[in-house]
């Protein structure tokens, strides 16, 4: 074993020299395949980051859509409230507010109903939009679930 030590000391500098020369020429010695493992981990990390970014983008878009829908609903409620307040004020200050319901007062109420249905057609009591006709039916039919009951 004593004779092996000088041989190892001689080979070690030669090994480093060979590694430097061959490494400079583009040769790589990676017996444990560490470069491929690092690359694989880096690619997996990039893919996970891309998925997280896509999820955050979708979440932000969904939240913006929800805010827009909520804003539209609030705006519709405010518009309905204003229209109703105008109608109530007009009805209370009208000359005929204490008299039985004449035709012009009924017309004002109908106009108010039409205005409410124009603003929010899904309100109970608004006439339903025409639906496409089925086979053997007239050209248009009206949905019966949301129709106003006939007072007569």
């Amino acid at each position: 074993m004593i004779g092996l030590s000088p041989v190892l000391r001689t080979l070690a500098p030669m090994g480093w020299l060979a590694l430097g020369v061959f490494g400079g020429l583009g040769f790589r010695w990676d017996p444990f395949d560490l470069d491929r493992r690092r690359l694989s981990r880096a690619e997996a990390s990039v893919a996970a980051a891309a998925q997280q970014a896509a999820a955050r983008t979708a979440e932000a878009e969904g939240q913006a859509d929800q805010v827009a829908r909520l804003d539209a609903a609030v705006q519709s409620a405010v518009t309905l409230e204003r229209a109703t307040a105008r109608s109530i004020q007009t009805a209370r200050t009208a000359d005929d507010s204490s008299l039985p319901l004449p035709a012009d007062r009924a017309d004002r109420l109908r106009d108010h109903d039409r205005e409410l249905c124009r603003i929010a057609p899904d309100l109970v009591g608004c006439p339903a939009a025409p639906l496409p006709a089925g086979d053997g039916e007239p050209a248009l039919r009206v949905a019966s679930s949301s129709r106003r009951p006939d007072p007569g």
Side-chain angles (χ1 to χ4, degrees):
M1 289 221 183
I2 296 174
L4 189 59
S5 181
V7 173
L8 287 177
R9 274 190 244 130
T10 305
L11 288 179
M14 295 301 274
W16 287 110
L17 178 66
L19 183 65
V21 169
F22 287 121
L25 295 174
F27 292 105
R28 298 287 181 254
W29 185 58
D30 190 6
F32 300 113
D33 207 13
L34 296 177
D35 286 339
R36 185 187 57 79
R37 289 180 186 175
R38 275 190 222 110
L39 178 63
S40 175
R41 281 194 305 263
E43 287 173 345
S45 176
V46 167
Q51 288 176 347
Q52 289 175 358
R56 283 192 297 273
T57 300
E59 183 179 325
E61 288 173 356
Q63 189 174 20
D65 184 46
Q66 183 178 11
V67 167
R69 284 186 281 129
L70 180 61
D71 191 37
V74 168
Q75 185 63 34
S76 178
V78 168
T79 305
L80 287 171
E81 192 174 310
R82 286 180 185 160
T84 303
R86 277 193 313 261
S87 177
I88 290 171
Q89 184 63 27
T90 303
R92 287 182 179 163
T93 59
D95 296 334
D96 59 355
S97 62
S98 61
L99 299 175
L101 189 64
D104 60 334
R105 190 167 177 202
D107 290 340
R108 282 196 310 268
L109 290 172
R110 272 191 228 95
D111 289 341
H112 178 65
D113 282 349
R114 280 191 213 104
E115 178 71 11
L116 291 177
C117 288
R118 184 190 64 77
I119 294 169
D122 294 338
L123 288 175
V124 174
C126 291
L131 301 172
D135 292 336
E137 293 182 341
L140 290 176
R141 63 185 176 89
V142 177
S144 61
S145 63
S146 62
R147 294 258 332 180
R148 189 180 323 193
D150 196 12

